[in-house]
Amino acid sequence: MNQAMINSAVTLGQLQHKMDTTGHNLANMNTSGYKRRDVSFSDLLFQQVNNQTSQQYETGRQTPAGIRTGTGGAVAQTAVRFEQGSISQTGRDLDVAITEPGYYFELVPGENGERRFTRDGAFYLSPNPNNQAENFLVDRSGEYIQSQDGQPITIPGSFRDLRVSESGEIQVTLNDGENTEVTAGQLQLVSITKPQLLESHGGNYYGLPDLDELNLGIDDVLTETAGTQVFQQGALEMSNVDMAKEMNDMLQTQRGYQFNTRAISITDEMMGLVNNIR
Amino acid sequence: MLRGLHTTASAMIAQQRRQEMLTDNLANANTPGFKADQGSLRTFPNMLIQATGTDHSRRFGSNHVGELATGVYMQERTPDFTQGDIQETGNVTDLALLQGNVPVNEETGQAATLLYTVESDDGTIRYTRNGNFTVDGAGFLTTSQGNYVLDSEGERINTGNEQFTVNEWGEILTGPDQQPLTQLNVAIVPDPAQLVKEGNGLLRYEGEEPPVTAVNNDDAEYQIQQGFIERSNVDAARTMTEMMATLRSFEANQRMLQSYDKSMERAVNDVGRIG
């Protein structure tokens, strides 16, 4: 195929990837704790064409011999951007926002034992089937929220008031006629120092890659910082997607797409001319 | 055979090469730090036509008819190193390099260009203007393709994490009290025409005069802006216009080719026909 056509065709596919990411960001504009992704482009391989091998004829030439033909552009990385989302007041007791970037709630590991983190602080209560007198603190999908000691957090079944302190301590006032105050647990908090290592697992969760392969220990990646004063009860962290930016990206991508399709049709017209020589 | 046939065919090939260049420029209209290529077409070396078997020399004193060129080819693609637009992204790992006054070659009038130095896969030095960097798993500052960005000592830069500040002359500061970690290198490439594009935003320098550092060097002025990227300097509207001109030139040459073919057709079918 004509190299000019390959250039445009390759780039069309890559622009579509960019559009996919923009679409995904826009779709998650209202997902609490969602972190947007940024797409950046890079040029692709260059190949050398030696079109004039007799150097003595190449008078007035400034660049090294031959010509370098590129092969289009491609997505180089889709980096997650971890800047803080805006905090929205909900007034709901079980909504907890993290007010500083870099920190995450930790969930109790699932069946395969992987550590999972989230910024989504919309919690619910789920009854403990083995003990009628207590409830588990869970997230939207029913996964257990981890306490500082690595266990699921349990909340007494009958209470009148639940408070989450700034440092993540959960205190409840029991409905026992005497208003006894008990500490139900301490929310686990981790600070991820190499956030670009995090893998998105869907469902608003992040996980860690195979650290042995990267010659890293767990301490190189995260520190457990339970007790740090970053929690805010009755509020949720909104997604950090900026709609204006995404729309702007979308328009630019669409125009880029149009320019490249137009380039294809011009190249096609040239090939048609070749076909019509005779 | 008809010489013009080859002339028009070569022009069509040259225009096709131009189209390849233009589509590549357009494809990289969104690539940070990309420098658009400009093509130059050049006529084939001239040849001297000599008359034989005529009385040309008796009438004109020599057998020489004159010079003739037999076509055109695309001689070179020169990247245009003018500054691209600066766009704010807010990402700490995006570093835009703004070029100020730079040394100008007195003979050619060619201005030098300022570039970041990075390490290629085989450990040799490459240059880039794409300041869309990232911090890899081990904490090193790399390009978006994973090539290590080098400091003024030629060493890799380990920032540890994404919490760092870069001041306007490229000093990297880390930690809560903003201690200087190292100095990002900016190279002055004296002859930008000798930079060869390698893909992935990397440029290889083939010039004789070695690049020097712009750090603490009064010859070149520059500024580094953290949280910004330098956009591609491709002008989509201009590229599109050039593409249309290329198409029409290609078409005109195709028409010429057809009319040469018509002449040959007459030579084949009509010359020598009786009655």
Side-chain angles (χ1 to χ4, degrees):
Chain A
M1 201 162 62
N2 190 329
Q3 183 63 51
M5 262 203 171
I6 299 175
N7 289 349
S8 313
V10 164
T11 311
L12 283 183
Q14 296 296 317
L15 282 167
Q16 209 145 24
H17 284 313
K18 180 167 183 179
M19 194 63 121
D20 291 346
T21 309
T22 310
H24 189 249
N25 283 343
L26 278 172
N28 286 293
M29 244 187 69
N30 293 317
T31 307
S32 50
Y34 176 79
K35 299 290 169 206
R36 72 188 168 89
R37 275 184 182 271
D38 238 3
V39 181
S40 70
F41 266 70
S42 166
D43 51 2
L44 279 169
L45 279 179
F46 276 75
Q47 58 184 353
Q48 170 120 2
V49 179
N50 292 326
N51 55 336
Q52 166 63 283
T53 41
S54 313
Q55 283 301 305
Q56 73 264 32
Y57 295 127
E58 296 266 273
T59 47
R61 198 188 163 106
Q62 293 179 323
T63 57
I67 53 175
R68 263 83 28 197
T69 334
T71 46
V75 171
Q77 60 169 353
T78 55
V80 188
R81 299 300 176 198
F82 291 94
E83 74 252 39
Q84 178 74 32
S86 53
I87 302 285
S88 154
Q89 283 285 339
T90 60
R92 187 171 163 271
D93 281 350
L94 284 173
D95 283 347
V96 184
I98 298 178
T99 55
E100 274 178 44
Y103 294 103
Y104 297 80
F105 297 110
E106 185 164 0
L107 301 158
V108 173
E111 278 167 10
N112 55 8
E114 270 184 11
R115 298 184 74 164
R116 296 172 299 172
F117 313 97
T118 186
R119 290 278 292 190
D120 186 359
F123 299 141
Y124 297 87
L125 295 177
S126 168
N128 181 352
N130 301 322
N131 182 357
Q132 293 292 322
E134 63 181 27
N135 293 315
F136 284 119
L137 189 68
V138 297
D139 74 350
R140 288 176 200 273
S141 329
E143 299 288 332
Y144 302 135
I145 307 299
Q146 208 179 82
S147 73
Q148 189 181 10
D149 51 19
Q151 297 302 311
I153 293 179
T154 53
I155 311 277
S158 166
F159 63 89
R160 100 181 16 200
D161 192 23
L162 184 146
R163 287 175 312 284
V164 180
S165 74
E166 227 176 293
S167 57
E169 204 178 48
I170 303 174
Q171 288 195 317
V172 286
T173 309
L174 294 181
N175 209 358
D176 57 355
E178 289 168 28
N179 292 344
T180 321
E181 290 203 7
V182 292
T183 303
Q186 161 75 44
L187 284 169
Q188 172 68 306
L189 184 73
V190 295
S191 161
I192 308 257
T193 43
K194 296 194 192 314
Q196 290 303 341
L197 272 182
L198 288 179
E199 291 173 345
S200 298
H201 282 187
N204 232 341
Y205 302 133
Y206 293 100
L208 295 171
D210 188 350
L211 293 177
D212 295 342
E213 211 172 87
L214 293 164
N215 278 327
L216 288 174
I218 194 82
D219 294 340
D220 298 327
V221 181
L222 63 85
T223 36
E224 298 189 354
T225 50
T228 314
Q229 302 203 340
V230 293
F231 297 100
Q232 165 96 50
Q233 191 186 14
L236 278 180
E237 182 192 5
M238 303 311 291
S239 144
N240 69 352
V241 175
D242 176 353
M243 188 169 170
K245 184 199 172 288
E246 299 299 328
M247 290 304 277
N248 183 28
D249 270 9
M250 200 163 83
L251 291 179
Q252 235 174 47
T253 314
Q254 193 197 356
R255 291 297 174 212
Y257 203 84
Q258 278 176 335
F259 273 126
N260 280 288
T261 47
R262 190 87 186 88
I264 288 190
S265 59
I266 289 179
T267 313
D268 178 54
E269 216 169 307
M270 287 171 74
M271 287 165 92
L273 285 167
V274 176
N275 247 341
N276 285 323
I277 286 176
R278 230 197 116 77
Chain B
M1 222 179 41
L2 296 168
R3 291 192 185 99
L5 205 61
H6 294 291
T7 311
T8 52
S10 75
M12 284 173 77
I13 294 168
Q15 294 302 334
Q16 192 170 325
R17 283 245 177 279
R18 237 169 101 76
Q19 176 73 359
E20 278 173 14
M21 180 194 79
L22 294 170
T23 51
D24 186 50
N25 283 349
L26 206 55
N28 287 295
N30 287 319
T31 304
F34 184 81
K35 300 293 168 198
D37 275 336
Q38 285 173 330
S40 59
L41 298 176
R42 179 173 190 270
T43 163
F44 280 156
N46 285 5
M47 59 182 185
L48 195 58
I49 310 287
Q50 244 178 1
T52 52
T54 63
D55 59 354
H56 192 278
S57 63
R58 203 170 340 121
R59 279 201 271 160
F60 300 101
S62 109
N63 276 344
H64 297 161
V65 176
E67 285 184 40
L68 179 76
T70 51
V72 64
Y73 71 105
M74 185 146 135
Q75 187 185 21
E76 55 181 338
R77 280 170 61 158
T78 323
D80 167 17
F81 279 95
T82 52
Q83 178 88 38
D85 302 335
I86 301 294
Q87 185 191 13
E88 185 171 7
T89 61
N91 303 324
V92 284
T93 52
D94 284 344
L95 305 175
L97 178 56
L98 276 86
Q99 184 166 321
N101 282 333
V102 285
V104 176
N105 185 326
E106 281 171 13
E107 278 171 43
T108 59
Q110 177 80 256
T113 195
L114 303 182
L115 297 159
Y116 293 118
T117 46
V118 298
E119 194 180 306
S120 75
D121 296 337
D122 60 8
T124 48
I125 287 183
R126 294 289 182 270
Y127 301 89
T128 191
R129 199 62 178 270
N130 185 344
N132 179 240
F133 297 139
T134 190
V135 175
D136 73 358
F140 287 103
L141 189 68
T142 67
T143 65
S144 54
Q145 303 276 3
N147 293 100
Y148 297 104
V149 181
L150 301 177
D151 67 7
S152 53
E153 305 287 313
E155 301 289 326
R156 300 172 179 180
I157 298 169
N158 195 330
T159 60
N161 51 42
E162 288 185 15
Q163 276 112 45
F164 61 89
T165 322
V166 180
N167 62 23
E168 58 183 81
W169 57 93
E171 207 176 12
I172 299 175
L173 312 164
T174 52
D177 45 356
Q178 297 293 296
Q179 283 301 306
L181 176 76
T182 183
Q183 165 72 46
L184 191 68
N185 192 32
V186 174
I188 310 173
V189 175
D191 186 3
Q194 295 296 320
L195 287 163
V196 173
K197 284 187 187 177
E198 274 195 339
N200 296 344
L202 301 185
L203 298 158
R204 186 177 70 236
Y205 187 61
E206 295 202 340
E208 283 164 10
E209 202 183 331
V212 290
T213 180
V215 176
N216 298 325
N217 185 337
D218 292 336
D219 289 345
E221 289 173 9
Y222 68 93
Q223 198 184 337
I224 287 169
Q225 289 268 14
Q226 190 176 22
F228 291 78
I229 51 163
E230 179 182 349
R231 291 180 53 84
S232 160
N233 70 354
V234 173
D235 180 343
R238 201 180 99 185
T239 312
M240 216 66 224
T241 319
E242 275 187 57
M243 234 183 240
M244 280 151 67
T246 305
L247 170 67
R248 292 305 163 203
S249 163
F250 191 83
E251 192 176 13
N253 279 289
Q254 186 248 18
R255 292 278 144 90
M256 280 301 294
L257 198 62
Q258 276 179 329
S259 58
Y260 272 115
D261 185 51
K262 291 245 170 60
S263 310
M264 284 208 294
E265 193 183 3
R266 299 202 71 142
V268 171
N269 294 325
D270 297 350
V271 175
R273 177 179 287 171
I274 300 170

